[in-house]
Amino acid sequence: MKADGAEEREGSSGEGGVRSVQRALDILGLLTDERPAVTVSDIVKATGLAKTTAIRLAQTLELNGLLWSTSKGYMAGPGLWRWAHLARQSWELPAEMMQLMRELGDRQRETVNLYVRRDMYRVCVAQQESPQPLRHVVRVGDELPLWGGASSKVLLRDASPALLKRIARSSPAGADYADSIHKGLTEAAEQGYAVSHGEREAGLSAVAVPVLGKNGAVAAALSLSGPTVRFSEDRIAEFVADLTESASRMSERGFDYPFAG
């Protein structure tokens, strides 16, 4: 028999605590623009948790303001506003850099994205949408896999062999894709930019260049993306020149992230 309080301690530290935290984050991750509220049944179905566990975790999240109970289920709670405010302060791109991206988008009329690397993913931290009806849009905060795309080839320039193997194993092609990933990032490093056509999504192309941090390493990837039919060789050469100039100006400013203290 467990001593008084043992059950609570077991769920708040060590492996059990980590598992509980991950389960709670999994529940929060179920909320999307398309699904702003989830029921206990939704949670059980999506996570495989026992109903009693799902209820207990949801109630704990609600108690801490991270969920809010409504007649339609649990929605994002007001406590997330504070975290969102802190994240925005740290990750919102400085005004002059946003202006550079707006100007780049106005000139080239394609979507401008800025990505940073987080483990096996690239995270969109800033975007300027293309003004054209047919365009490519990734939401700020979205995480995309690093096994494909022009920005991935740029961001992986200094990646370890171990990381490249992990990324390859997560790709549709499996572990054997490591050689292709290495070839792509080596080529990107040699020529100073990367191009992709339909690597992650059919009919989508992108061109990306590195933005260097204060230590001279690749800190981010600045890209233009859109329908492949608009990414001819001539246009790609124009994109590269404009992207390189904009990225150079970002680097000269002393680019680093998070962007604000």
Side-chain angles (χ1 to χ4, degrees):
M1 182 178 295
K2 296 180 181 179
D4 291 346
E7 184 173 352
E8 287 79 7
R9 289 195 298 274
E10 187 175 81
S12 61
S13 63
E15 184 179 344
V18 172
R19 185 166 59 249
S20 295
V21 171
Q22 185 59 59
R23 287 172 171 174
L25 293 174
D26 289 342
I27 291 174
L28 291 175
L30 296 177
L31 298 173
T32 64
D33 289 341
E34 293 74 29
R35 184 166 62 177
V38 291
T39 64
V40 171
S41 295
D42 293 332
I43 296 172
V44 170
K45 183 178 180 179
T47 64
L49 293 171
K51 184 176 180 180
T52 53
T53 302
I55 292 173
R56 185 170 67 250
L57 287 170
Q59 289 176 341
T60 300
L61 289 168
E62 182 183 17
L63 183 64
N64 287 276
L66 304 182
L67 286 180
W68 189 270
S69 181
T70 72
S71 60
K72 296 182 179 180
Y74 289 98
M75 60 179 286
L80 291 172
W81 273 114
R82 181 173 64 87
W83 289 3
H85 177 67
L86 291 172
R88 181 174 181 178
Q89 282 186 317
S90 296
W91 288 95
E92 189 170 49
L93 207 63
E96 59 268 39
M97 290 193 184
M98 286 302 301
Q99 183 61 29
L100 279 173
M101 292 181 64
R102 280 192 292 270
E103 292 172 353
L104 176 61
D106 288 343
R107 289 191 299 270
Q108 301 302 339
R109 295 178 59 78
E110 298 295 353
T111 297
V112 184
N113 286 313
L114 187 71
Y115 293 98
V116 299
R117 177 161 65 91
R118 188 189 73 78
D119 193 32
M120 298 201 307
Y121 302 92
R122 51 186 166 109
V123 184
C124 181
V125 293
Q127 181 183 88
Q128 178 64 37
E129 286 189 28
S130 166
Q132 304 196 63
L134 183 60
R135 61 186 183 270
H136 175 238
V137 177
V138 174
R139 296 173 299 183
V140 171
D142 279 357
E143 295 185 341
L144 303 178
L146 279 169
W147 49 256
S151 293
S152 297
K153 299 173 187 178
V154 168
L155 291 171
L156 289 173
R157 189 178 77 179
D158 304 313
S160 68
L163 176 60
L164 296 182
K165 289 180 181 179
R166 288 172 57 211
I167 292 170
R169 286 196 296 268
S170 72
S171 74
D176 292 340
Y177 197 55
D179 289 341
S180 295
I181 293 176
H182 186 266
K183 180 181 178 181
L185 65 91
T186 299
E187 183 179 84
E190 290 175 349
Q191 62 189 16
Y193 67 91
V195 179
S196 65
H197 297 293
E199 292 183 7
R200 195 177 61 82
E201 294 181 27
L204 173 65
S205 292
V207 181
V209 301
V211 178
L212 304 182
K214 296 175 182 178
N215 61 358
V218 175
L222 182 67
S223 73
L224 284 165
S225 60
T228 299
V229 294
R230 296 205 297 258
F231 278 61
S232 64
E233 289 300 317
D234 289 344
R235 288 292 283 155
I236 287 174
E238 183 180 341
F239 292 158
V240 169
D242 210 350
L243 280 165
T244 301
E245 172 63 22
S246 297
S248 177
R249 291 172 66 184
M250 286 184 173
S251 299
E252 288 172 359
R253 182 194 179 278
F255 187 94
D256 213 346
Y257 64 92
F259 307 118

